[in-house]
Amino acid sequence: MIYKRFIKNCSLFFLLIFLVFSCKQVSPEMKSVSVCVVFDYSDYQILPQARLSVYVDSNSDVRRVDSIEFNSLTTDYKWKIESDELQQIIDTKKQWTGNSNLYMPYKNQFPNGQYELIYKNADEKFQKTKVNLKYDSAFYEKLADEIPSFMESKKGKKQIAIFDKENKMIYFGEQGEELKNNRAIWLKYKDAAFYKEIWTLSDNSVMCILPKKDVVPE
């Protein structure tokens, strides 16, 4: 899924590798927490659907994580990510575990403010931390065509994700000169079927995923 690769831009976007670690009964150790509000656009005429991405970078064995709880301290909203819902994303320097599909009830917005995160392992040992979420709620009312200029006004960054016909992502990164249009993308990636523009804020608090565009040779 594209969302596993997006983690590198919400502090996100790492190569997915599942490693085998030795099992030890140790307390979970959090190094950092990444929280990002993701706005998904299915169409240029429809307002986005919002979801929350919450990931923990840990010093301890992420294979032994049992659950992550994420609770708003200013409202009654709470989420619990069970072990079978946790996604583990690992590279040579970081071990991320979490989920990028936390939702609010219909037509509700993710509250700005402080949240408590509870990180628990299989031995029922846990660590708590507080996280502050601050973002512009105006994103909820922006159509896809408005996002580029709105993001530019906030010094946001644009990247693209290219997919093949099997919905497998074959490229994610800058849209340089060699990928400047559909023809250029097709010449570079013959298996390309469509791509999406991805906009993120510099503090990684917000990501906007625009509707897909078919790659058709001109």
Side-chain angles (χ1 to χ4, degrees), residues 115-150:
Y115 290 75
E116 180 182 63
L117 187 145
I118 305 173
Y119 186 64
K120 184 184 295 184
N121 69 10
D123 302 314
E124 296 296 317
K125 295 181 179 180
F126 63 88
Q127 184 178 4
K128 295 182 179 181
T129 190
K130 288 183 170 59
V131 180
N132 192 57
L133 177 63
K134 183 178 181 181
Y135 71 104
D136 190 343
S137 61
F139 279 101
Y140 288 93
E141 302 302 322
K142 297 294 181 182
L143 292 173
D145 281 334
E146 300 176 280
I147 289 301
S149 60
F150 191 57

Side-chain angles (χ1 to χ4, degrees), residues 1-217:
M1 295 290 292
I2 183 172
Y3 310 124
K4 293 182 180 179
R5 299 296 294 273
F6 289 160
I7 304 304
K8 205 173 201 175
N9 265 2
C10 276
S11 259
L12 305 170
F13 313 127
F14 292 95
L15 176 65
L16 177 65
I17 306 174
F18 291 89
L19 300 180
V20 176
F21 295 90
S22 60
C23 294
K24 297 179 181 179
Q25 292 190 3
V26 296
S27 297
E29 295 182 43
M30 289 186 285
K31 291 170 62 178
S32 62
V33 176
S34 171
V35 179
C36 179
V37 183
V38 181
F39 292 92
D40 278 312
Y41 288 87
S42 60
D43 189 273
Y44 280 89
Q45 305 303 318
I46 300 175
L47 290 174
Q49 182 176 35
R51 56 191 172 84
L52 197 65
S53 172
V54 176
Y55 278 80
V56 174
D57 179 22
S58 176
N59 281 322
S60 54
D61 186 350
V62 296
R63 192 184 60 164
R64 293 187 56 75
V65 179
D66 180 70
S67 65
I68 294 175
E69 295 181 37
F70 196 66
N71 307 321
S72 170
L73 296 180
T74 57
T75 68
D76 294 329
Y77 293 117
K78 298 181 179 182
W79 298 265
K80 185 174 183 179
I81 309 169
E82 301 286 0
S83 57
D84 60 345
E85 300 171 320
L86 289 168
Q87 300 167 352
Q88 297 171 3
I89 302 168
I90 303 168
D91 70 1
T92 57
K93 295 181 179 180
K94 294 181 180 292
Q95 299 185 82
W96 293 101
T97 186
N99 192 287
S100 55
N101 293 297
L102 306 184
Y103 291 92
M104 287 287 290
Y106 182 61
K107 289 190 176 181
N108 284 270
Q109 301 181 3
F110 288 101
N112 275 292
Q114 200 167 57
Y115 290 75
E116 180 182 63
L117 187 145
I118 305 173
Y119 186 64
K120 184 184 295 184
N121 69 10
D123 302 314
E124 296 296 317
K125 295 181 179 180
F126 63 88
Q127 184 178 4
K128 295 182 179 181
T129 190
K130 288 183 170 59
V131 180
N132 192 57
L133 177 63
K134 183 178 181 181
Y135 71 104
D136 190 343
S137 61
F139 279 101
Y140 288 93
E141 302 302 322
K142 297 294 181 182
L143 292 173
D145 281 334
E146 300 176 280
I147 289 301
S149 60
F150 191 57
M151 273 291 196
E152 286 173 356
S153 72
K154 294 178 173 292
K155 303 187 185 305
K157 181 180 181 180
K158 173 189 170 184
Q159 294 176 293
I160 64 169
I162 302 173
F163 300 82
D164 64 15
K165 293 180 181 179
E166 305 300 322
N167 290 325
K168 179 182 177 181
M169 187 164 63
I170 56 180
Y171 172 82
F172 179 81
E174 304 289 337
Q175 187 175 17
E177 185 67 20
E178 63 178 4
L179 300 173
K180 64 181 180 180
N181 54 36
N182 287 12
R183 175 69 175 178
I185 292 173
W186 182 77
L187 289 173
K188 179 73 174 178
Y189 298 99
K190 298 294 186 183
D191 294 332
F194 66 92
Y195 68 99
K196 293 185 177 185
E197 293 182 10
I198 315 298
W199 286 86
T200 54
L201 292 181
S202 59
D203 65 356
N204 297 318
S205 62
V206 171
M207 175 186 296
C208 294
I209 306 171
L210 302 193
K212 73 176 186 179
K213 297 180 179 180
D214 293 329
V215 175
V216 180

